[in-house]
Amino acid sequence: MKKNCALFIFCFFLAAANYSSFAQDSSFVKQRLDSLMPVRGFCIAAPDPKEIDRFVKFIHEELSPRKVNTLILRIDYNYHYESHPELREDSTLSKENIKTLVNACKENNIRLMPQINLLGHQSWAGQLNKLLSVYPQFDETPHVKMPAKYVWPNADNLYCKSYCPLHPDVHKVIFDIIDEICDAFETNAFHAGMYEIFYLGDDECPRCGERVKAELFAGEVKTIRDHLAQKNRQLWIWGDRLIDGKTTGLGMWEASYNNTYRAIDMIPKDVMICDWHYERADKTPVYFAIKGLDVITCPWRMPELAITQTEDMLRFKNESSEIMRPHFMGMMQTVWSDAGSFLDGFYGISKDEKSGNNTPWNCFRTLYNKIDQLQ
Ligand SMILES: [Zn+2]
């Protein structure tokens, strides 16, 4: 009996020692991954109410095992806003829907944040979004009429409408919805979009005309950043307006052709820059880091490119000074479809023959296989 008892105690300590060693190993692995790639993100449109359960399953079974730690959901006006019911889309996510997503992310240590497109992207093709259709007085270019049939290029250079950042009433409305959606997401960060802005400081705007566009852009970034900071929330934005499109050859979508790029020296340094490049691994993360800004690189649907961009991110970090190194924060895949279409592709329910290997779901698997190898 004594002998059995001694054996039991011996086995117990052996198991405990093994467990402790395993725990230390896994903790070490996680620490290493967190230091090499602090942000491991995924950005997609918020799922429709009917897709919530499937998306929660995806969080548990696909995002979490791949160590994704940041999830951005583009929600815009697809929420049952109480502060501004007039801005709700027809079918919206409820507070309970969001709570389900919040809980799934909490269980898996994933930082969840919402995105509402601010400043630009206030219309799409021939359709105004909710903000400008309800509050037409916020339109930066009211003289530009929405076309019955949208084509690009067009005489008005209309890509997407913008709101006027100097309209005296616009921030009251958008701050209400930012606060409400951040509370619902129980989050300490908010993504404001602010990309592909062609209309800014229009000559005909009585408030903005003749103002310096870079100052208008930087002013709006700072206004939103300062509002969020009151509740210890961080602002994230896309990086394209801060890159000079002409000098870099990156063009007017992926970079700025209207001189907003000078705002890179005017915006607060605690804004996270999401630097998207979908066809070539441009080395712009270095530019942001040199300016003292935290940056993540965002691929979309090209797996090989995502691998190069991940290797670049690691190399930039490795080959930089100690001061600049922490600015290279990691990777975030961006998916520009709705969540349901992505899940259909991911689970093989729908096929995308013409895209070949270059699909968002292939890119997702490839990017996170690559990140997995870092451990
Ligand atoms: Zn204006």
Side-chain angles (χ1 to χ4, degrees), residues 138-140 163-167 200-202 205-209 216:
F138 295 162
D139 191 341
E140 174 67 10
Y163 65 68
C164 173
L166 299 186
H167 191 286
L200 182 68
D202 190 83
C205 176
R207 296 163 294 271
C208 300
L216 284 169

Side-chain angles (χ1 to χ4, degrees), residues 212 214-215 218 241-244 256 259-267 287:
V212 176
E215 290 178 4
R241 290 311 90 188
L242 302 172
I243 303 169
D244 178 355
S256 167
N259 296 328
T260 56
Y261 62 90
R262 293 181 189 138
I264 198 168
D265 290 316
M266 304 174 196
I267 65 169
Y287 176 59

Side-chain angles (χ1 to χ4, degrees), residues 46-66:
D48 291 338
K50 66 178 180 349
E51 298 284 1
I52 292 281
D53 290 344
R54 204 154 68 117
F55 197 77
V56 164
K57 181 172 166 353
F58 179 74
I59 291 172
H60 286 297
E61 296 180 2
E62 308 298 339
L63 296 185
S64 178
R66 288 177 171 85

Side-chain angles (χ1 to χ4, degrees), residues 262-296:
R262 293 181 189 138
I264 198 168
D265 290 316
M266 304 174 196
I267 65 169
K269 298 296 185 191
D270 55 6
V271 176
M272 173 67 88
I273 306 300
C274 304
D275 184 31
W276 60 273
H277 298 287
Y278 298 153
E279 287 166 5
R280 188 179 48 222
D282 294 287
K283 310 308 176 194
T284 43
V286 178
Y287 176 59
F288 289 111
I290 285 174
K291 294 292 185 178
L293 293 158
D294 285 352
V295 60
I296 55 175

Side-chain angles (χ1 to χ4, degrees), residues 127-168:
Q127 194 74 35
L128 285 174
N129 81 354
K130 271 288 173 186
L131 186 74
L132 292 193
S133 57
V134 175
Y135 298 102
Q137 66 270 35
F138 295 162
D139 191 341
E140 174 67 10
T141 54
H143 53 281
V144 174
K145 301 300 171 203
M146 296 305 288
K149 184 174 182 300
Y150 179 85
V151 288
W152 179 267
N154 57 71
D156 292 318
N157 202 29
L158 169 65
Y159 177 55
C160 298
K161 286 262 191 175
S162 304
Y163 65 68
C164 173
L166 299 186
H167 191 286

Side-chain angles (χ1 to χ4, degrees), residues 19-217:
Y19 176 77
S20 161
S21 158
F22 169 77
Q24 277 173 11
D25 281 354
S26 80
S27 158
F28 174 77
V29 163
K30 183 161 184 321
Q31 275 176 20
R32 180 175 148 76
L33 193 56
D34 284 344
S35 97
L36 285 173
M37 194 69 62
V39 174
R40 304 178 295 277
F42 186 69
C43 172
I44 194 166
D48 291 338
K50 66 178 180 349
E51 298 284 1
I52 292 281
D53 290 344
R54 204 154 68 117
F55 197 77
V56 164
K57 181 172 166 353
F58 179 74
I59 291 172
H60 286 297
E61 296 180 2
E62 308 298 339
L63 296 185
S64 178
R66 288 177 171 85
K67 313 277 192 306
V68 172
N69 65 3
T70 305
L71 174 61
I72 296 179
L73 295 178
R74 299 192 306 274
I75 190 151
D76 293 309
Y77 300 98
N78 175 21
Y79 180 65
H80 201 76
Y81 289 105
E82 297 291 339
S83 59
H84 288 278
E86 76 279 12
L87 290 175
R88 293 175 195 161
E89 301 282 5
D90 293 340
S91 163
T92 57
L93 291 162
S94 66
K95 201 170 181 179
E96 291 70 33
N97 290 147
I98 300 300
K99 185 65 183 169
T100 305
L101 296 166
V102 167
N103 288 342
C105 289
K106 274 187 187 167
E107 281 176 45
N108 293 289
N109 294 315
I110 294 173
R111 186 187 197 191
L112 175 66
M113 73 180 87
Q115 180 187 310
I116 300 174
N117 275 328
L118 297 180
L119 195 54
H121 271 264
Q122 303 302 318
S123 67
W124 183 249
Q127 194 74 35
L128 285 174
N129 81 354
K130 271 288 173 186
L131 186 74
L132 292 193
S133 57
V134 175
Y135 298 102
Q137 66 270 35
F138 295 162
D139 191 341
E140 174 67 10
T141 54
H143 53 281
V144 174
K145 301 300 171 203
M146 296 305 288
K149 184 174 182 300
Y150 179 85
V151 288
W152 179 267
N154 57 71
D156 292 318
N157 202 29
L158 169 65
Y159 177 55
C160 298
K161 286 262 191 175
S162 304
Y163 65 68
C164 173
L166 299 186
H167 191 286
D169 302 326
V170 72
H171 293 111
K172 168 78 180 78
V173 175
I174 62 172
F175 288 169
D176 284 346
I177 61 168
I178 289 173
D179 289 349
E180 186 177 347
I181 203 69
C182 285
D183 287 346
F185 273 63
E186 302 178 30
T187 188
N188 60 3
F190 171 81
H191 200 303
M194 305 188 80
Y195 66 128
E196 300 176 332
I197 298 165
F198 294 2
Y199 286 167
L200 182 68
D202 190 83
D203 290 342
E204 293 187 37
C205 176
R207 296 163 294 271
C208 300
E210 298 183 12
R211 296 229 181 200
V212 176
K213 290 180 175 54
E215 290 178 4
L216 284 169
F217 182 81

